[in-house]
Amino acid sequence: MQITEFLPTKASQSDLEQWRDVLNAMTAEDMPNEPRWTDDRLREYLSITMPGERRLAFVARDDDRRIIGHANLLLFGGEFADAGVFEIFVRPGQRGTGAGRGLLRAIAERAREEGRTTIGVEVIATTPAVGFYDRMGFNRAVVENRNLLALTEVDWDAVGDLSGRLAAGYRLEYYTGHLPDDLVERYAATKVHLKAEPAYNTGAWRGSADAQRLKDSLATLAARGMRSHLVVAIAEAKEMVVGLTELVVAAQRPTRGDQYDTVVAPEHRSYGLGMAMKARMLCELREAEPQLVDVQTWTAREGDPMEHVDAALGFRNDVQWYEYETDVAGLLRRLG
């Protein structure tokens, strides 16, 4: 077995297909009801990052040069320049061969070289990855509930009614892929409220809370093959953005929508804006993304303001997700 750095921009089509096959084999084994990945825009997905960020990738190959596992490490900039997040995937038939440990060592060594002091990883609670990271000495920092909404089970009449239940003086606007220039500053200012949410205090929120980063984020998503959908709540008296919700559909996994941030400015809560925005989003998706099978979202175990909204719309908790973290120096000592 050999572990080497992997450059998606220069990878052959065969290597990209093997990368996809490893991920799909793991998904079929550990999470059989999850959607499979496709090749569509896969190279862009693996290689393009936000300005100021970098993604490093590694592969484990067997003696026949076939990819049996892969990993990537995303290095942040700015206020999070001391940290990184990573993923590791190993073909089920190759578990126990040292591939996962070898990829983790490659990640940790490169993180140290890049001056990172901590790294983190997300893990689905029902998969063997939990035991792996427990054995490697990672700390379980955050536990979230993953909630799924099957679109075939949606009561569309009820959702349509909820999308129109707005208090007087508010309106909703829907955008896909971009925001009008005159809305960007107001939108970004509203996202800042997420940092104060109790549900986010247990982890490091890295959302786009300034205008330029927001523009960069939307452009980066599009370049990676990820379609953004945004619903914005406007207080008409001063044309203020007072709420927003975001959802992304990836070309590489087009049957599932990923709910991103949702927030309502504190002084405009209790007017049903969260419910109306998320219901409107579902109505728009029905037309804009007819291939969707389901939508996933995450809520904190305690204190999440969107929990009751998701439940009313039909989302159901199906599994917990763990966020693990560790200090790089300690991990390298444990790896030997």
Side-chain angles (χ1 to χ4, degrees), residues 307-320:
E307 185 175 9
H308 76 284
V309 171
D310 292 336
L313 291 172
F315 284 87
R316 297 291 178 264
N317 175 240
D318 72 328
V319 71
Q320 288 187 330

Side-chain angles (χ1 to χ4, degrees), residues 147-164 172-175 229-232 245-249 255-259 262 273-297 309-316:
N147 307 290
L148 276 179
L149 174 64
L151 297 186
T152 55
E153 299 175 4
V154 171
D155 183 339
W156 290 108
D157 290 336
V159 169
D161 179 62
L162 288 170
S163 71
L172 301 182
E173 296 180 356
Y174 164 73
Y175 301 95
H229 300 270
L230 309 111
V231 173
V232 183
T245 189
E246 307 163 333
L247 187 138
V248 171
V249 179
T255 60
R256 171 161 292 171
D258 290 306
Q259 180 76 61
T262 300
L273 296 180
M275 182 75 74
M277 289 190 303
K278 296 193 87 167
R280 172 70 178 273
M281 177 68 79
L282 292 174
C283 293
E284 297 291 351
L285 289 175
R286 191 182 188 190
E287 299 297 324
E289 302 280 359
Q291 82 290 343
L292 279 182
V293 173
D294 53 29
V295 172
Q296 65 180 359
T297 188
V309 171
D310 292 336
L313 291 172
F315 284 87
R316 297 291 178 264

Side-chain angles (χ1 to χ4, degrees), residues 59-324:
V59 293
R61 297 181 187 270
D62 63 16
D63 293 339
D64 295 322
R65 302 289 298 162
R66 300 284 297 177
I67 295 175
I68 61 172
H70 51 74
N72 68 81
L73 170 66
L74 179 62
L75 301 174
F76 301 112
E79 62 180 305
F80 299 107
D82 62 341
V85 296
F86 70 94
E87 298 174 305
I88 295 177
F89 304 100
V90 175
R91 188 179 288 277
Q94 299 294 328
R95 291 171 179 167
T97 63
R101 188 183 182 95
L103 288 165
L104 181 58
R105 183 191 301 276
I107 289 289
E109 289 176 347
R110 191 59 181 272
R112 178 179 60 184
E113 292 172 11
E114 297 287 343
R116 309 296 155 141
T117 57
T118 61
I119 53 175
V121 61
E122 288 190 354
V123 176
I124 298 177
T126 56
T127 65
V130 171
F132 176 75
Y133 291 111
D134 284 341
R135 291 191 300 273
M136 292 297 105
F138 280 71
N139 299 313
R140 194 177 301 174
V142 178
V143 179
E144 293 181 303
N145 294 319
R146 199 276 295 271
N147 307 290
L148 276 179
L149 174 64
L151 297 186
T152 55
E153 299 175 4
V154 171
D155 183 339
W156 290 108
D157 290 336
V159 169
D161 179 62
L162 288 170
S163 71
R165 290 189 182 180
L166 282 171
Y170 296 99
R171 73 174 187 274
L172 301 182
E173 296 180 356
Y174 164 73
Y175 301 95
T176 180
H178 73 287
L179 286 167
D181 289 342
D182 65 344
L183 204 61
V184 173
E185 289 278 1
R186 289 174 285 159
Y187 187 102
T190 300
K191 290 198 74 171
V192 172
H193 292 295
L194 279 173
K195 291 186 176 182
E197 290 291 349
Y200 293 92
N201 287 344
T202 54
W205 180 74
R206 303 183 182 92
S208 305
D210 67 80
Q212 187 56 55
R213 185 168 173 80
L214 177 59
K215 289 181 179 179
D216 290 341
S217 176
L218 292 172
T220 300
L221 287 169
R224 298 181 74 201
M226 305 169 78
R227 298 184 292 276
S228 301
H229 300 270
L230 309 111
V231 173
V232 183
I234 307 287
E236 295 176 321
K238 296 184 179 180
E239 286 297 300
M240 294 175 58
V241 173
V242 297
L244 59 94
T245 189
E246 307 163 333
L247 187 138
V248 171
V249 179
Q252 304 83 9
R253 196 183 55 178
T255 60
R256 171 161 292 171
D258 290 306
Q259 180 76 61
Y260 280 23
D261 293 333
T262 300
V263 63
V264 177
E267 62 272 26
H268 295 273
R269 293 174 185 172
S270 301
Y271 293 102
L273 296 180
M275 182 75 74
M277 289 190 303
K278 296 193 87 167
R280 172 70 178 273
M281 177 68 79
L282 292 174
C283 293
E284 297 291 351
L285 289 175
R286 191 182 188 190
E287 299 297 324
E289 302 280 359
Q291 82 290 343
L292 279 182
V293 173
D294 53 29
V295 172
Q296 65 180 359
T297 188
W298 290 264
T299 54
R301 284 195 299 176
E302 298 178 359
D304 197 302
M306 288 297 116
E307 185 175 9
H308 76 284
V309 171
D310 292 336
L313 291 172
F315 284 87
R316 297 291 178 264
N317 175 240
D318 72 328
V319 71
Q320 288 187 330
W321 286 52
Y322 301 153
E323 291 185 21
Y324 280 100

